[in-house]
Amino acid sequence: MKNLNLVYSLAGLSALATTASSCQQNKSDVKKSYNIVYIMTDDHTAQMMSCYDTRYMETPNLDRIAADGVRFTNSFVANSLSGPSRACIITGKHSCGNKFYDNTTCVFDGTQQTFPKLLQKAGYQTALIGKWHLESLPTGFDYWEILPGQGDYYNPDFITQNNDTIQKHGYITNLITDDAIDWMENKRDKNKPFCLMIHHKAIHRNWMADTCNLALYEDKTFPLPETFFDDYEGRPAAVAQEMSIVKDMDMIYDLKMLRPDKDSRLKTLYESFLGRMDKEQRAAWDRFYGPIIEDFYKKNPQGKELANWKFQRYMRDYMKTVKSLDDNVGRVLDYLKEKGLLDNTLVVYTSDQGFYMGEHGWFDKRFMYEESMHTPLIMRLPKGFNRRGDITELVQNIDYAPTFLELAGVKVPEDMHGVSLLPLLKGEHPANWRNALYYHFYEYPAEHMVKRHYGIRTKRYKLIHFYNDIDEWELYDLQKDPNELHNLYGQSDYDSIVTDLKRQLLELQEKYNDPVRFSPNRDKE
Ligand code: SGN
Ligand code: CA
């Protein structure tokens, strides 16, 4: 609700800025250039894409992108949360550079440099459709239509460029795709290159599937992840979180077990989501969930049986939501193919971060631990870029802006923190490619109670410092302990590794000019 109000109250003010920044410069000097179709989902994690992980579900259309192009196996975010990720992506800077630190207190300063603005200046048409989540209205786009805040799955509202709020009938993932295809087909100037950002609401909590997909995956059961009953020994920040499937997942809101005589913390919110449905949608919903609700309360599972029941329902709902997404990515690929645009277009698919599918017993993200810091990144390359298969270099979401700019022939501004991925897409293996990534998460105290932390990740090690109301370091050897269960910090065998990682961490904090830095001297005391 907070998001909604803020977007509305800023709407009038920002409309002026939007008009001003939409004025295109240097329109005439555009050569034949590459288009960019940048599809991003919310909370879609690589475990739930068959091109990354075959354990759970099939995503044939996403797999088409990877099979025809490249798959980044070491792709990470800089701050594992929606708004901050989006700000990192459009500015090419870490949160300390773009000043959008968290979802709850920040409003994006839309006057700052972003890659869509720079593309516009170079004569590109830019469009953004779907989730935006940066609180101020978009700048740097010739066309946009965004969701207020997180948006809704059913019959959602959109804020249009005229600063109207309109409601559309249907399921969110289909509607965003309809609008994107409509823009490419009917609204853009076909003589100009374009950059289209299709930013989905799905797969965000509370994972509400389209009615046509409700019956899917019900015959599947999945083994609990091996770390599901993690006891968090040696990791006090992990103990303090509130994102456990067992403890924190809401029976009604997350798991849809609505019954008039039952109550839960988020029941009212769930009812408000159901209240958006029309009669037919609601009837299909109740037809599907009715028998499951009846069976659940009759059997009244407890303990480990209940934990397993919750996990299975979570997985199935999430997968159904992914199914719509995968189908709609297929629609975009088919459109581009049919119109002969594929040869000249870079198609990017990614998410705003990763997500826990029961690893450590969790849902949500935020932590610098692997499932959350890692984000899927696959690309279908335009003609002339011959790289195929896996790219294993360490890359981060601050790199997308420089990549798009270099592809468009625009000079990458020196103050961007990210680096262009174009050499990798051309098949080069630059000897001086980065060997460490910086991460910083700020949203605390807040929902899910993940404490503030920063850290460094190399290909082999991860060093994390949790700070603010805690002062704890963690070190993981990702080669020996990929599940990050054994905090090695403080073990004398690793002293020299810690010293070296701390030196590199401080170098990165200085390079990115992060005002929150650890003090090496104090730490030696
Ligand atoms: C909402 C969700 C949280 C989620 C945040 C941030 N709660 O607040 O579970 O972590 O969004 O997600 S809910 O009760 O509203 O569903 S983000 O991807 O937008 O950063
Ligand atoms: Ca997200």
Side-chain angles (χ1 to χ4, degrees), residues 193-215:
F194 66 91
C195 172
L196 168 61
M197 295 162 73
I198 311 175
H199 287 192
H200 288 284
K201 176 210 166 46
I203 326 297
H204 195 271
R205 191 182 181 192
N206 61 341
W207 318 292
M208 288 175 76
D210 193 355
T211 48
C212 63
N213 291 326
L214 282 171

PDB file of all heavy atoms in Angstrom, residues 193-215:
ATOM      1  N   PRO A 193      16.405   1.685 -33.875  1.00  0.00           N
ATOM      2  CA  PRO A 193      16.663   0.548 -32.988  1.00  0.00           C
ATOM      3  C   PRO A 193      15.920   0.751 -31.673  1.00  0.00           C
ATOM      4  O   PRO A 193      15.598   1.888 -31.321  1.00  0.00           O
ATOM      5  CB  PRO A 193      18.173   0.617 -32.770  1.00  0.00           C
ATOM      6  CG  PRO A 193      18.529   2.046 -32.985  1.00  0.00           C
ATOM      7  CD  PRO A 193      17.561   2.580 -34.007  1.00  0.00           C
ATOM      8  N   PHE A 194      15.656  -0.336 -30.994  1.00  0.00           N
ATOM      9  CA  PHE A 194      14.910  -0.177 -29.746  1.00  0.00           C
ATOM     10  C   PHE A 194      15.498  -1.006 -28.605  1.00  0.00           C
ATOM     11  O   PHE A 194      16.197  -1.994 -28.822  1.00  0.00           O
ATOM     12  CB  PHE A 194      13.430  -0.538 -29.940  1.00  0.00           C
ATOM     13  CG  PHE A 194      13.161  -1.990 -30.256  1.00  0.00           C
ATOM     14  CD1 PHE A 194      12.918  -2.898 -29.244  1.00  0.00           C
ATOM     15  CD2 PHE A 194      13.122  -2.448 -31.569  1.00  0.00           C
ATOM     16  CE1 PHE A 194      12.640  -4.242 -29.519  1.00  0.00           C
ATOM     17  CE2 PHE A 194      12.855  -3.788 -31.855  1.00  0.00           C
ATOM     18  CZ  PHE A 194      12.615  -4.684 -30.844  1.00  0.00           C
ATOM     19  N   CYS A 195      15.185  -0.540 -27.422  1.00  0.00           N
ATOM     20  CA  CYS A 195      15.497  -1.299 -26.203  1.00  0.00           C
ATOM     21  C   CYS A 195      14.197  -1.441 -25.432  1.00  0.00           C
ATOM     22  O   CYS A 195      13.617  -0.449 -24.985  1.00  0.00           O
ATOM     23  CB  CYS A 195      16.532  -0.558 -25.367  1.00  0.00           C
ATOM     24  SG  CYS A 195      16.782  -1.337 -23.759  1.00  0.00           S
ATOM     25  N   LEU A 196      13.724  -2.672 -25.323  1.00  0.00           N
ATOM     26  CA  LEU A 196      12.448  -2.945 -24.651  1.00  0.00           C
ATOM     27  C   LEU A 196      12.709  -3.743 -23.377  1.00  0.00           C
ATOM     28  O   LEU A 196      13.325  -4.807 -23.418  1.00  0.00           O
ATOM     29  CB  LEU A 196      11.547  -3.745 -25.605  1.00  0.00           C
ATOM     30  CG  LEU A 196      10.283  -4.373 -25.002  1.00  0.00           C
ATOM     31  CD1 LEU A 196       9.336  -3.314 -24.435  1.00  0.00           C
ATOM     32  CD2 LEU A 196       9.555  -5.206 -26.067  1.00  0.00           C
ATOM     33  N   MET A 197      12.252  -3.197 -22.269  1.00  0.00           N
ATOM     34  CA  MET A 197      12.419  -3.888 -20.991  1.00  0.00           C
ATOM     35  C   MET A 197      11.065  -4.465 -20.572  1.00  0.00           C
ATOM     36  O   MET A 197      10.127  -3.717 -20.295  1.00  0.00           O
ATOM     37  CB  MET A 197      12.953  -2.916 -19.942  1.00  0.00           C
ATOM     38  CG  MET A 197      14.368  -2.451 -20.308  1.00  0.00           C
ATOM     39  SD  MET A 197      14.918  -0.961 -19.480  1.00  0.00           S
ATOM     40  CE  MET A 197      15.218  -1.556 -17.827  1.00  0.00           C
ATOM     41  N   ILE A 198      10.983  -5.796 -20.556  1.00  0.00           N
ATOM     42  CA  ILE A 198       9.736  -6.483 -20.167  1.00  0.00           C
ATOM     43  C   ILE A 198       9.972  -7.019 -18.759  1.00  0.00           C
ATOM     44  O   ILE A 198      10.682  -8.017 -18.578  1.00  0.00           O
ATOM     45  CB  ILE A 198       9.408  -7.643 -21.145  1.00  0.00           C
ATOM     46  CG1 ILE A 198       9.495  -7.168 -22.602  1.00  0.00           C
ATOM     47  CG2 ILE A 198       8.046  -8.240 -20.828  1.00  0.00           C
ATOM     48  CD1 ILE A 198       9.303  -8.294 -23.630  1.00  0.00           C
ATOM     49  N   HIS A 199       9.413  -6.341 -17.786  1.00  0.00           N
ATOM     50  CA  HIS A 199       9.743  -6.660 -16.394  1.00  0.00           C
ATOM     51  C   HIS A 199       8.522  -7.231 -15.668  1.00  0.00           C
ATOM     52  O   HIS A 199       7.601  -6.500 -15.304  1.00  0.00           O
ATOM     53  CB  HIS A 199      10.292  -5.422 -15.687  1.00  0.00           C
ATOM     54  CG  HIS A 199      11.685  -5.089 -16.129  1.00  0.00           C
ATOM     55  ND1 HIS A 199      12.486  -4.182 -15.484  1.00  0.00           N
ATOM     56  CD2 HIS A 199      12.429  -5.575 -17.147  1.00  0.00           C
ATOM     57  CE1 HIS A 199      13.660  -4.133 -16.090  1.00  0.00           C
ATOM     58  NE2 HIS A 199      13.639  -4.955 -17.109  1.00  0.00           N
ATOM     59  N   HIS A 200       8.560  -8.550 -15.475  1.00  0.00           N
ATOM     60  CA  HIS A 200       7.396  -9.242 -14.929  1.00  0.00           C
ATOM     61  C   HIS A 200       7.232  -9.086 -13.427  1.00  0.00           C
ATOM     62  O   HIS A 200       8.211  -8.929 -12.708  1.00  0.00           O
ATOM     63  CB  HIS A 200       7.489 -10.730 -15.277  1.00  0.00           C
ATOM     64  CG  HIS A 200       7.238 -10.985 -16.725  1.00  0.00           C
ATOM     65  ND1 HIS A 200       5.975 -10.948 -17.265  1.00  0.00           N
ATOM     66  CD2 HIS A 200       8.087 -11.239 -17.749  1.00  0.00           C
ATOM     67  CE1 HIS A 200       6.059 -11.187 -18.571  1.00  0.00           C
ATOM     68  NE2 HIS A 200       7.323 -11.360 -18.884  1.00  0.00           N
ATOM     69  N   LYS A 201       5.986  -9.171 -12.999  1.00  0.00           N
ATOM     70  CA  LYS A 201       5.701  -9.268 -11.565  1.00  0.00           C
ATOM     71  C   LYS A 201       6.009 -10.695 -11.076  1.00  0.00           C
ATOM     72  O   LYS A 201       6.559 -10.903  -9.994  1.00  0.00           O
ATOM     73  CB  LYS A 201       4.237  -8.953 -11.269  1.00  0.00           C
ATOM     74  CG  LYS A 201       3.923  -9.149  -9.790  1.00  0.00           C
ATOM     75  CD  LYS A 201       2.512  -9.558  -9.525  1.00  0.00           C
ATOM     76  CE  LYS A 201       2.302 -10.067  -8.111  1.00  0.00           C
ATOM     77  NZ  LYS A 201       2.885  -9.279  -7.054  1.00  0.00           N
ATOM     78  N   ALA A 202       5.565 -11.668 -11.868  1.00  0.00           N
ATOM     79  CA  ALA A 202       5.839 -13.067 -11.506  1.00  0.00           C
ATOM     80  C   ALA A 202       7.360 -13.233 -11.416  1.00  0.00           C
ATOM     81  O   ALA A 202       8.088 -12.550 -12.138  1.00  0.00           O
ATOM     82  CB  ALA A 202       5.276 -13.984 -12.588  1.00  0.00           C
ATOM     83  N   ILE A 203       7.845 -14.043 -10.581  1.00  0.00           N
ATOM     84  CA  ILE A 203       7.283 -15.122  -9.785  1.00  0.00           C
ATOM     85  C   ILE A 203       7.165 -14.691  -8.326  1.00  0.00           C
ATOM     86  O   ILE A 203       7.402 -15.473  -7.413  1.00  0.00           O
ATOM     87  CB  ILE A 203       8.232 -16.336  -9.876  1.00  0.00           C
ATOM     88  CG1 ILE A 203       8.906 -16.470 -11.214  1.00  0.00           C
ATOM     89  CG2 ILE A 203       7.573 -17.598  -9.439  1.00  0.00           C
ATOM     90  CD1 ILE A 203       7.963 -16.719 -12.408  1.00  0.00           C
ATOM     91  N   HIS A 204       6.872 -13.432  -8.101  1.00  0.00           N
ATOM     92  CA  HIS A 204       6.926 -12.907  -6.733  1.00  0.00           C
ATOM     93  C   HIS A 204       5.868 -13.534  -5.828  1.00  0.00           C
ATOM     94  O   HIS A 204       4.805 -13.952  -6.293  1.00  0.00           O
ATOM     95  CB  HIS A 204       6.736 -11.379  -6.795  1.00  0.00           C
ATOM     96  CG  HIS A 204       7.120 -10.670  -5.548  1.00  0.00           C
ATOM     97  ND1 HIS A 204       6.241 -10.460  -4.520  1.00  0.00           N
ATOM     98  CD2 HIS A 204       8.290 -10.126  -5.166  1.00  0.00           C
ATOM     99  CE1 HIS A 204       6.858  -9.812  -3.547  1.00  0.00           C
ATOM    100  NE2 HIS A 204       8.110  -9.596  -3.918  1.00  0.00           N
ATOM    101  N   ARG A 205       6.185 -13.572  -4.539  1.00  0.00           N
ATOM    102  CA  ARG A 205       5.231 -13.988  -3.526  1.00  0.00           C
ATOM    103  C   ARG A 205       3.907 -13.269  -3.717  1.00  0.00           C
ATOM    104  O   ARG A 205       3.918 -12.084  -4.043  1.00  0.00           O
ATOM    105  CB  ARG A 205       5.831 -13.601  -2.163  1.00  0.00           C
ATOM    106  CG  ARG A 205       5.124 -14.164  -0.969  1.00  0.00           C
ATOM    107  CD  ARG A 205       5.818 -13.639   0.289  1.00  0.00           C
ATOM    108  NE  ARG A 205       5.175 -14.168   1.464  1.00  0.00           N
ATOM    109  CZ  ARG A 205       5.400 -13.713   2.694  1.00  0.00           C
ATOM    110  NH1 ARG A 205       6.263 -12.726   2.879  1.00  0.00           N
ATOM    111  NH2 ARG A 205       4.781 -14.241   3.722  1.00  0.00           N
ATOM    112  N   ASN A 206       2.754 -13.833  -3.624  1.00  0.00           N
ATOM    113  CA  ASN A 206       2.468 -15.116  -3.059  1.00  0.00           C
ATOM    114  C   ASN A 206       2.151 -16.191  -4.114  1.00  0.00           C
ATOM    115  O   ASN A 206       1.322 -17.064  -3.853  1.00  0.00           O
ATOM    116  CB  ASN A 206       1.326 -14.996  -2.053  1.00  0.00           C
ATOM    117  CG  ASN A 206       0.042 -14.491  -2.732  1.00  0.00           C
ATOM    118  OD1 ASN A 206       0.066 -13.908  -3.812  1.00  0.00           O
ATOM    119  ND2 ASN A 206      -1.100 -14.771  -2.116  1.00  0.00           N
ATOM    120  N   TRP A 207       2.869 -16.118  -5.256  1.00  0.00           N
ATOM    121  CA  TRP A 207       2.862 -17.194  -6.253  1.00  0.00           C
ATOM    122  C   TRP A 207       1.444 -17.628  -6.648  1.00  0.00           C
ATOM    123  O   TRP A 207       1.053 -18.791  -6.505  1.00  0.00           O
ATOM    124  CB  TRP A 207       3.680 -18.405  -5.709  1.00  0.00           C
ATOM    125  CG  TRP A 207       4.923 -17.940  -5.032  1.00  0.00           C
ATOM    126  CD1 TRP A 207       6.010 -17.356  -5.631  1.00  0.00           C
ATOM    127  CD2 TRP A 207       5.198 -17.948  -3.621  1.00  0.00           C
ATOM    128  NE1 TRP A 207       6.934 -17.007  -4.678  1.00  0.00           N
ATOM    129  CE2 TRP A 207       6.463 -17.366  -3.450  1.00  0.00           C
ATOM    130  CE3 TRP A 207       4.510 -18.395  -2.494  1.00  0.00           C
ATOM    131  CZ2 TRP A 207       7.051 -17.211  -2.184  1.00  0.00           C
ATOM    132  CZ3 TRP A 207       5.088 -18.260  -1.244  1.00  0.00           C
ATOM    133  CH2 TRP A 207       6.339 -17.670  -1.104  1.00  0.00           C
ATOM    134  N   MET A 208       0.678 -16.684  -7.192  1.00  0.00           N
ATOM    135  CA  MET A 208      -0.692 -17.004  -7.614  1.00  0.00           C
ATOM    136  C   MET A 208      -0.693 -17.346  -9.100  1.00  0.00           C
ATOM    137  O   MET A 208      -0.366 -16.503  -9.943  1.00  0.00           O
ATOM    138  CB  MET A 208      -1.631 -15.822  -7.328  1.00  0.00           C
ATOM    139  CG  MET A 208      -1.901 -15.651  -5.830  1.00  0.00           C
ATOM    140  SD  MET A 208      -2.884 -14.187  -5.449  1.00  0.00           S
ATOM    141  CE  MET A 208      -4.514 -14.695  -5.938  1.00  0.00           C
ATOM    142  N   ALA A 209      -1.053 -18.591  -9.401  1.00  0.00           N
ATOM    143  CA  ALA A 209      -1.007 -19.074 -10.776  1.00  0.00           C
ATOM    144  C   ALA A 209      -2.206 -18.602 -11.579  1.00  0.00           C
ATOM    145  O   ALA A 209      -3.258 -18.268 -11.020  1.00  0.00           O
ATOM    146  CB  ALA A 209      -0.971 -20.592 -10.775  1.00  0.00           C
ATOM    147  N   ASP A 210      -2.052 -18.616 -12.893  1.00  0.00           N
ATOM    148  CA  ASP A 210      -3.178 -18.385 -13.789  1.00  0.00           C
ATOM    149  C   ASP A 210      -4.145 -19.573 -13.651  1.00  0.00           C
ATOM    150  O   ASP A 210      -3.709 -20.718 -13.465  1.00  0.00           O
ATOM    151  CB  ASP A 210      -2.643 -18.306 -15.228  1.00  0.00           C
ATOM    152  CG  ASP A 210      -3.661 -17.752 -16.200  1.00  0.00           C
ATOM    153  OD1 ASP A 210      -4.819 -17.519 -15.794  1.00  0.00           O
ATOM    154  OD2 ASP A 210      -3.300 -17.556 -17.376  1.00  0.00           O
ATOM    155  N   THR A 211      -5.439 -19.312 -13.751  1.00  0.00           N
ATOM    156  CA  THR A 211      -6.419 -20.396 -13.552  1.00  0.00           C
ATOM    157  C   THR A 211      -6.161 -21.586 -14.494  1.00  0.00           C
ATOM    158  O   THR A 211      -6.361 -22.730 -14.101  1.00  0.00           O
ATOM    159  CB  THR A 211      -7.861 -19.883 -13.771  1.00  0.00           C
ATOM    160  OG1 THR A 211      -7.902 -19.150 -14.987  1.00  0.00           O
ATOM    161  CG2 THR A 211      -8.300 -18.994 -12.615  1.00  0.00           C
ATOM    162  N   CYS A 212      -5.678 -21.309 -15.707  1.00  0.00           N
ATOM    163  CA  CYS A 212      -5.466 -22.405 -16.663  1.00  0.00           C
ATOM    164  C   CYS A 212      -4.308 -23.306 -16.247  1.00  0.00           C
ATOM    165  O   CYS A 212      -4.166 -24.413 -16.776  1.00  0.00           O
ATOM    166  CB  CYS A 212      -5.239 -21.854 -18.075  1.00  0.00           C
ATOM    167  SG  CYS A 212      -3.764 -20.845 -18.201  1.00  0.00           S
ATOM    168  N   ASN A 213      -3.484 -22.857 -15.317  1.00  0.00           N
ATOM    169  CA  ASN A 213      -2.337 -23.678 -14.890  1.00  0.00           C
ATOM    170  C   ASN A 213      -2.506 -24.289 -13.501  1.00  0.00           C
ATOM    171  O   ASN A 213      -1.606 -24.976 -13.016  1.00  0.00           O
ATOM    172  CB  ASN A 213      -1.054 -22.832 -14.912  1.00  0.00           C
ATOM    173  CG  ASN A 213      -0.640 -22.483 -16.326  1.00  0.00           C
ATOM    174  OD1 ASN A 213      -0.843 -23.281 -17.244  1.00  0.00           O
ATOM    175  ND2 ASN A 213      -0.087 -21.309 -16.511  1.00  0.00           N
ATOM    176  N   LEU A 214      -3.643 -24.039 -12.871  1.00  0.00           N
ATOM    177  CA  LEU A 214      -3.800 -24.478 -11.478  1.00  0.00           C
ATOM    178  C   LEU A 214      -3.614 -25.983 -11.292  1.00  0.00           C
ATOM    179  O   LEU A 214      -3.057 -26.435 -10.296  1.00  0.00           O
ATOM    180  CB  LEU A 214      -5.181 -24.059 -10.939  1.00  0.00           C
ATOM    181  CG  LEU A 214      -5.309 -22.586 -10.527  1.00  0.00           C
ATOM    182  CD1 LEU A 214      -6.757 -22.234 -10.222  1.00  0.00           C
ATOM    183  CD2 LEU A 214      -4.419 -22.271  -9.335  1.00  0.00           C
ATOM    184  N   ALA A 215      -4.073 -26.756 -12.269  1.00  0.00           N
ATOM    185  CA  ALA A 215      -4.045 -28.214 -12.092  1.00  0.00           C
ATOM    186  C   ALA A 215      -2.667 -28.837 -12.346  1.00  0.00           C
ATOM    187  O   ALA A 215      -2.456 -30.017 -12.076  1.00  0.00           O
ATOM    188  CB  ALA A 215      -5.081 -28.846 -13.021  1.00  0.00           C
TER     189      ALA A 215
END
